[in-house]
Amino acid sequence: MSEQLNDDLRKVTAEAEQLIATAGTVDELRQAESRLTGKKGTLGQLLASIGKLPKEDRAEAGQQINVAKRDIEDKFSLARARLEAAAPKTAAEQTFDPTLPGPVVPRGSIHPVTSVIWEFEDILSRLGFVVFGGPEMETDYYNFDALNIPETHPARDQWDTFWLDNDWLLRTHTSPCQIRAMEKYGAPLRVIVLGRCFRYETEDASHANTFHQFEGLMIDRDISIANLVAVMKLMLSELFHHEVKVRLRPGFFPFVEPGFELDMGCLLCGGSGCPACKHSGWMELIGCGMVHPNVLRAGKIDPEQYTGFAFGLGLTRVAMMKYGVADIRSLNSGDLRALIRPEQRFGPAIIEKE
Ligand code: FA5
């Protein structure tokens, strides 16, 4: 969005706040609101000027103006409700009609990430997976060594780590729970872990330094890549209630062999490209593969007898796709436009920050 438009929207929001603060009656509020949001008002003029922008900038500018417009309208309607409540009532208004419906109380809703966690737990438990958990503060051993990433291994650079004292760290992924689950239950095994991870990373539309992952681990005799693909396709299709487009690429993770990355067609832009998918039309979603024999050994399971698959899915990114949130940072920001479910929203959830 252009600096100029940004500036204009900031000014008009400040003007609205000023007018609301000085209006003494509901009528004054109405007049002030139509001066700002009506067709000939400041916002109307801004909307009309979109036609003069280059074609590729129009959609984004329109969206930003509409977000500001709804925000201003909300402010005015709150102020109106306050003035009306404070106004002295006539005798007729003071009579109480018990047959009238009560005032509408705004409802909260479950956070999109929590909602996706519940759905995945439900889908995977129907496939016989057990929900498992582990600590967010981990040891070097569980986060790296036991996952076939010794101290000197260059793959450690793949995960930018928040180090704490004495070889403790904030877990960079949910994969340490693979070892903890193997130690606790042995084989055969089907577990899922849905929890927070931390990375010392620069944030952008699809990267947060605190985000959720969803880990899956299945170990039994004769488990193959076919089982892995079937489980992943099924869980994504169930979550999105229709068949989703996926692609599998070779990927390197020291704890699986062979390893893959699974991408999903970006549902935010329908594949045409947006900041969240880095204009590629694909969202990197899942790292996965067949559990490396060294990892089975670290979990005290005999790789001669058992094989298994594991996957680690970007749960927060799935919540973005499912609920149309274009910027991952909105989900940790407390911004109600992103947090409230679509049917309960009062504005669009597409809150561009780039
Ligand atoms: C891992 O973390 C592996 N532990 C996944 C795995 C598990 C591979 C089991 C094989 C077997 P990766 O770093 O690619 O891999 O992260 C997995 C997913 O987490 C990514 O595909 C992405 O969807 C999500 N993710 C990674 N970094 C971030 C971030 N900074 N913000 C939001 N989501 C992220």
Side-chain angles (χ1 to χ4, degrees), residues 275-319:
C277 64
K278 304 224 158 43
H279 304 280
S280 68
W282 293 94
M283 182 75 99
E284 182 199 311
L285 219 55
I286 310 183
C288 54
M290 301 304 292
V291 182
H292 195 288
N294 288 347
V295 175
L296 290 172
R297 271 185 216 108
K300 316 246 175 336
I301 291 177
D302 181 0
E304 299 297 323
Q305 296 203 44
Y306 289 99
T307 51
F309 70 73
F311 62 83
L313 172 149
L315 187 80
T316 314
R317 289 191 186 167
V318 171

Side-chain angles (χ1 to χ4, degrees), residues 159 173 175 178 199 201 206-208 211 213 215 253 255-256 261 284-289 310-314 317 328:
W159 292 276
H173 47 180
S175 299
Q178 288 187 29
R199 294 203 191 167
E201 278 190 17
S206 57
H207 292 83
F211 59 99
Q213 274 191 353
E215 189 90 8
F253 301 95
F255 32 94
V256 286
E261 302 247 20
E284 182 199 311
L285 219 55
I286 310 183
C288 54
F311 62 83
L313 172 149
R317 289 191 186 167
I328 198 167

Side-chain angles (χ1 to χ4, degrees), residues 59-185:
E60 196 187 343
Q63 198 180 52
Q64 293 296 334
I65 297 171
N66 277 325
V67 169
K69 185 164 177 250
R70 273 194 208 99
D71 181 43
I72 288 172
E73 285 167 351
D74 284 345
K75 285 188 165 75
F76 271 104
S77 82
L78 265 177
R80 232 184 351 263
R82 262 198 307 271
L83 279 181
E84 276 165 359
K89 301 266 182 293
T90 63
E93 281 170 338
Q94 276 171 11
T95 53
F96 176 67
D97 181 352
T99 63
L100 286 176
V104 179
V105 181
R107 279 190 299 159
S109 67
I110 300 299
H111 191 285
V113 170
T114 309
S115 175
V116 171
I117 289 179
W118 288 353
E119 284 201 63
F120 272 136
E121 285 179 354
D122 182 46
I123 296 165
L124 274 290
S125 52
R126 277 187 270 131
L127 296 178
F129 285 78
V130 168
V131 180
F132 186 71
E136 290 176 348
M137 205 173 93
E138 260 299 359
T139 60
D140 193 1
Y141 172 75
Y142 283 104
N143 200 82
F144 291 123
D145 290 314
L147 291 169
N148 200 28
I149 318 172
E151 198 180 337
T152 49
H153 199 295
R156 281 203 179 196
D157 296 345
Q158 241 174 291
W159 292 276
D160 299 304
T161 310
F162 286 108
W163 287 97
L164 308 171
D165 291 340
N166 301 327
D167 285 347
W168 284 83
L169 48 87
L170 295 182
R171 70 176 177 198
T172 56
H173 47 180
T174 38
S175 299
C177 297
Q178 288 187 29
I179 306 293
R180 291 184 180 276
M182 288 186 229
E183 284 176 349
K184 182 159 182 192
Y185 298 117

Side-chain angles (χ1 to χ4, degrees), residues 182-210:
M182 288 186 229
E183 284 176 349
K184 182 159 182 192
Y185 298 117
L189 177 65
R190 286 182 206 188
V191 285
I192 51 171
V193 182
L194 303 107
R196 268 196 311 181
C197 307
F198 309 85
R199 294 203 191 167
Y200 186 50
E201 278 190 17
T202 311
E203 297 200 314
D204 62 23
S206 57
H207 292 83
N209 55 32
T210 304

